[in-house]
Amino acid sequence: MTDQSEFNTDYDLVVVGSGAGALTAAITAQAQGLRVLVVEKTDKYGGTSALSGGGIWIPCNHHFKAKGGNDTPEKVWTYLKNAIGDDIDEPRVRTYIDKAPEMIQWLENNSRLRYAVAEKYPDYYPHLDGFLPGGRTLDPELFDISALKDELPNLRQASRGNLLMGKISWTARQAHVAMSKSPGWRLMLMWMMLRYKMDFMWRKKTGEQRDRRTALGNALIASLRATLIDKNIPLWLNTNFVELIEEDGRVCGIVVERNGRQQRIRADKGVILASGGFEQNPALREKYLPQPNKIEWSATPEGANTGVALEQGQKLGAATALLDWAWWTPSFLVPGETKARGVFAERAFPGAIVVNSLGKRYVNEAAPYLEFVTSMYADNKVTQGKTFPSWVVFDAKFRFNYAMGPLMPGQIMPDMRLRKEWLNKLYYKADTLEELAQKIGVDVAGLKETVKKINHYAETGVDEDFDRGGNVFDRYYGDSNVKPNPCLAPVAKGPFYAMPIQGGDIGTKGGLLTNKHAQVVKPDGQVIKGLYAIGNTSASVMGTTYPGAGGTLGPAMTFGYIAALDAAAQK
Ligand code: FAD
């Protein structure tokens, strides 16, 4: 027995971190009758989850079913088995398939969180058996953040890249309509801008610049945080977890730093580590991730996730896996912004190509982000260091019609309205391709040859090198009005533009090894009693793959739910 007098505070369960998995765990545990505490190191709650797209990949979910969708656990298993391969952790993956739909249905019945199915958002690997062209990704509904009251200023802000014009919230479904220029897109955008403008009184009253109706990851976190408020579940900000307390072979609490002093918090039923990966720790990045990689290329909140939970778990003998993997995402470094911006959709728009400094394409630009950066690393080996950075190259027609990172389409934001400090850092411009290539240090002949090829492919509709636009996933963000291939258009009309793109990430993928109950295990499979890990603190259940949009948050929330139920069942 632990001597209670040694502890400053006493709870049944402590959750470290305040991302989506953590808050899901806290709500679930409290519903099971546990006294729960959530501790968050920074002065903002929500972590990377708050600035994410908020999509969750939940196969066989009830929203899809209600719309007549057809998915089965066996189909999902086939898909994941094909994607992950022989290294698949069958008990964990089968548990995920079984519990993910239960988790989201339970959460919608017991919290303010609401999702809708993104029926057109395909899984990421169309070539695999078990793939679905839509229905497994759920997209948060808009959430009115005035419900957060005093806790509103502490909500981590959405990333600018996720907001229309840097300020207006939109769901992933709305973003898709606009980006693919599907019927009605102009009217929809005008309505959204009008709605934002008309709500000026709220912004004036609250001093808030952000949209009252928040979307994506911000809606996910805000609605879960509002539920914690409803249910009086405490969340301590500025509370830094530093150490696990283990007694009699069982984790029974943590040490935190709060208000300048250390406190010991008792947690008889266990500790759930949900404090993200090690993406914000330069030393651990250097130690585990492939080179080159830089903390500045990561799109995650600066200084937040530094891998303390990983190191603490390792101290107790925990096994680890996938430490050399991240949720790779190409990114732009925008001058004046503190973190990189992930480049998720724009790579599929017709007329922008990506080349290395030899001027050669090496990847289907529209490929899923994890695969894109994996190809960057592979090509960098071949070119012996000439692939970081790569260059997104496009012409005046593309510039007029489409966004690329923070460059809104020229028809909305002409060059003269772009920030001066962006020129020759975020983007380069020249009248001819030769001049552009010289400016950015790319081989002139290589680039011209590549452009000649792509212009031919745009005409025929077939990318003979990488089959860009050759599947339903690529075409999701293609321009539906462009024929014959919505992802291909010529790079022909000057002036020409180039933007450096890096191999960034939206979090690390490796971490503490867990079993199907989200319990942390040792290399021999023995459980570390009382210790759970979820989200990017744990090694991903998805192995080295990213099966569909929401492939990180779906498991984080599902294993948060599972961990809470398991902790509650402990004697
Ligand atoms: P986090 O959400 O980062 O939460 C960890 C929390 O722990 C942080 O608040 C941190 O401050 C806190 N913490 C860290 N150390 C300590 C400590 N010592 N003590 C106390 N607290 C601590 N994934 C999807 O599945 N779907 C998407 O649509 C999606 N879109 C994305 C878009 C963008 C722009 C980005 C950047 C990411 C996106 N992701 C998406 C990835 C996803 O957001 C992350 O993988 C996920 O949020 C990780 O969740 P987590 O709970 O592990 O970490």
Side-chain angles (χ1 to χ4, degrees), residues 37 86 158 192 202 234 236 250 315 351 365 450 528 530 548:
L37 172 68
D86 291 343
M192 287 168 65
W202 182 75
W236 293 357
R250 186 183 170 81
K315 247 183 166 178
E365 289 86 347
T450 300
I528 301 181

mmCIF file of all heavy atoms in Angstrom, residues 37 86 158 192 202 234 236 250 315 351 365 450 528 530 548:
data_model
loop_
_atom_site.group_PDB
_atom_site.id
_atom_site.type_symbol
_atom_site.label_atom_id
_atom_site.label_comp_id
_atom_site.label_asym_id
_atom_site.label_seq_id
_atom_site.Cartn_x
_atom_site.Cartn_y
_atom_site.Cartn_z
ATOM 1 N N LEU A 37 -8.343 13.339 -13.139
ATOM 2 C CA LEU A 37 -7.668 14.628 -13.298
ATOM 3 C C LEU A 37 -6.918 14.616 -14.626
ATOM 4 O O LEU A 37 -6.246 13.630 -14.959
ATOM 5 C CB LEU A 37 -6.667 14.846 -12.151
ATOM 6 C CG LEU A 37 -5.747 16.062 -12.296
ATOM 7 C CD1 LEU A 37 -6.542 17.374 -12.186
ATOM 8 C CD2 LEU A 37 -4.638 16.041 -11.233
ATOM 9 N N ASP A 86 3.024 -7.898 -42.831
ATOM 10 C CA ASP A 86 3.252 -8.977 -41.870
ATOM 11 C C ASP A 86 3.481 -8.495 -40.439
ATOM 12 O O ASP A 86 3.304 -9.255 -39.487
ATOM 13 C CB ASP A 86 4.464 -9.819 -42.304
ATOM 14 C CG ASP A 86 4.135 -10.607 -43.560
ATOM 15 O OD1 ASP A 86 2.927 -10.732 -43.866
ATOM 16 O OD2 ASP A 86 5.072 -11.059 -44.238
ATOM 17 N N ALA A 158 -6.745 27.282 -33.669
ATOM 18 C CA ALA A 158 -6.667 26.470 -34.897
ATOM 19 C C ALA A 158 -5.473 26.932 -35.717
ATOM 20 O O ALA A 158 -5.056 28.084 -35.614
ATOM 21 C CB ALA A 158 -7.941 26.663 -35.711
ATOM 22 N N MET A 192 -20.358 31.746 -46.443
ATOM 23 C CA MET A 192 -19.508 31.573 -45.258
ATOM 24 C C MET A 192 -18.866 32.908 -44.842
ATOM 25 O O MET A 192 -18.786 33.241 -43.665
ATOM 26 C CB MET A 192 -18.415 30.537 -45.549
ATOM 27 C CG MET A 192 -18.967 29.133 -45.587
ATOM 28 S SD MET A 192 -17.787 27.962 -46.266
ATOM 29 C CE MET A 192 -16.552 28.052 -45.046
ATOM 30 N N TRP A 202 -20.269 39.602 -31.821
ATOM 31 C CA TRP A 202 -19.672 38.630 -30.884
ATOM 32 C C TRP A 202 -18.175 38.879 -30.765
ATOM 33 O O TRP A 202 -17.613 38.894 -29.678
ATOM 34 C CB TRP A 202 -19.926 37.196 -31.365
ATOM 35 C CG TRP A 202 -19.371 36.180 -30.399
ATOM 36 C CD1 TRP A 202 -19.908 35.843 -29.192
ATOM 37 C CD2 TRP A 202 -18.168 35.407 -30.525
ATOM 38 N NE1 TRP A 202 -19.123 34.899 -28.567
ATOM 39 C CE2 TRP A 202 -18.053 34.608 -29.364
ATOM 40 C CE3 TRP A 202 -17.190 35.301 -31.506
ATOM 41 C CZ2 TRP A 202 -16.984 33.720 -29.165
ATOM 42 C CZ3 TRP A 202 -16.133 34.424 -31.318
ATOM 43 C CH2 TRP A 202 -16.040 33.645 -30.143
ATOM 44 N N PRO A 234 -11.794 18.086 -13.641
ATOM 45 C CA PRO A 234 -10.751 19.113 -13.586
ATOM 46 C C PRO A 234 -9.665 18.934 -14.645
ATOM 47 O O PRO A 234 -9.272 17.807 -14.944
ATOM 48 C CB PRO A 234 -10.158 18.946 -12.184
ATOM 49 C CG PRO A 234 -10.495 17.552 -11.777
ATOM 50 C CD PRO A 234 -11.745 17.172 -12.499
ATOM 51 N N TRP A 236 -5.955 20.725 -15.265
ATOM 52 C CA TRP A 236 -4.976 21.694 -14.770
ATOM 53 C C TRP A 236 -4.023 22.086 -15.891
ATOM 54 O O TRP A 236 -3.320 21.222 -16.443
ATOM 55 C CB TRP A 236 -4.129 21.079 -13.638
ATOM 56 C CG TRP A 236 -4.874 20.789 -12.378
ATOM 57 C CD1 TRP A 236 -6.179 21.040 -12.092
ATOM 58 C CD2 TRP A 236 -4.322 20.173 -11.205
ATOM 59 N NE1 TRP A 236 -6.485 20.620 -10.816
ATOM 60 C CE2 TRP A 236 -5.359 20.084 -10.254
ATOM 61 C CE3 TRP A 236 -3.064 19.686 -10.864
ATOM 62 C CZ2 TRP A 236 -5.173 19.526 -8.990
ATOM 63 C CZ3 TRP A 236 -2.878 19.126 -9.610
ATOM 64 C CH2 TRP A 236 -3.919 19.058 -8.681
ATOM 65 N N ARG A 250 3.630 -1.432 -9.387
ATOM 66 C CA ARG A 250 2.457 -0.857 -10.055
ATOM 67 C C ARG A 250 2.588 0.667 -10.105
ATOM 68 O O ARG A 250 3.002 1.300 -9.132
ATOM 69 C CB ARG A 250 1.227 -1.239 -9.224
ATOM 70 C CG ARG A 250 -0.054 -0.847 -9.826
ATOM 71 C CD ARG A 250 -1.259 -1.167 -8.945
ATOM 72 N NE ARG A 250 -2.391 -0.505 -9.561
ATOM 73 C CZ ARG A 250 -3.069 -0.990 -10.586
ATOM 74 N NH1 ARG A 250 -2.765 -2.176 -11.066
ATOM 75 N NH2 ARG A 250 -4.049 -0.317 -11.136
ATOM 76 N N LYS A 315 12.166 4.210 -18.725
ATOM 77 C CA LYS A 315 12.812 4.046 -17.416
ATOM 78 C C LYS A 315 12.242 2.849 -16.654
ATOM 79 O O LYS A 315 12.928 2.188 -15.877
ATOM 80 C CB LYS A 315 12.580 5.309 -16.576
ATOM 81 C CG LYS A 315 13.829 6.112 -16.300
ATOM 82 C CD LYS A 315 13.420 7.253 -15.410
ATOM 83 C CE LYS A 315 14.599 7.926 -14.783
ATOM 84 N NZ LYS A 315 14.155 9.061 -13.968
ATOM 85 N N GLY A 351 -1.578 21.452 -62.300
ATOM 86 C CA GLY A 351 -0.673 22.502 -62.771
ATOM 87 C C GLY A 351 0.456 22.830 -61.821
ATOM 88 O O GLY A 351 1.267 23.705 -62.116
ATOM 89 N N GLU A 365 2.643 13.778 -57.029
ATOM 90 C CA GLU A 365 2.447 14.915 -56.119
ATOM 91 C C GLU A 365 1.185 14.780 -55.290
ATOM 92 O O GLU A 365 1.088 15.311 -54.177
ATOM 93 C CB GLU A 365 2.379 16.236 -56.910
ATOM 94 C CG GLU A 365 3.683 16.690 -57.520
ATOM 95 C CD GLU A 365 3.956 16.086 -58.904
ATOM 96 O OE1 GLU A 365 3.247 15.130 -59.284
ATOM 97 O OE2 GLU A 365 4.864 16.568 -59.581
ATOM 98 N N THR A 450 11.332 18.183 -67.586
ATOM 99 C CA THR A 450 10.204 17.732 -66.752
ATOM 100 C C THR A 450 8.909 18.452 -67.147
ATOM 101 O O THR A 450 7.846 17.835 -67.259
ATOM 102 C CB THR A 450 10.507 17.982 -65.258
ATOM 103 O OG1 THR A 450 11.671 17.245 -64.927
ATOM 104 C CG2 THR A 450 9.372 17.571 -64.367
ATOM 105 N N ILE A 528 3.089 -3.403 -17.715
ATOM 106 C CA ILE A 528 3.478 -2.522 -16.601
ATOM 107 C C ILE A 528 2.171 -2.078 -15.953
ATOM 108 O O ILE A 528 1.429 -1.265 -16.524
ATOM 109 C CB ILE A 528 4.309 -1.320 -17.083
ATOM 110 C CG1 ILE A 528 5.579 -1.809 -17.782
ATOM 111 C CG2 ILE A 528 4.622 -0.382 -15.921
ATOM 112 C CD1 ILE A 528 6.495 -0.713 -18.288
ATOM 113 N N GLY A 530 -0.905 -0.525 -14.231
ATOM 114 C CA GLY A 530 -1.296 0.862 -13.921
ATOM 115 C C GLY A 530 -0.831 1.875 -14.955
ATOM 116 O O GLY A 530 -1.078 3.065 -14.790
ATOM 117 N N GLY A 548 -6.029 6.231 -43.772
ATOM 118 C CA GLY A 548 -7.071 7.148 -44.235
ATOM 119 C C GLY A 548 -7.075 8.379 -43.351
ATOM 120 O O GLY A 548 -6.440 8.398 -42.286
#
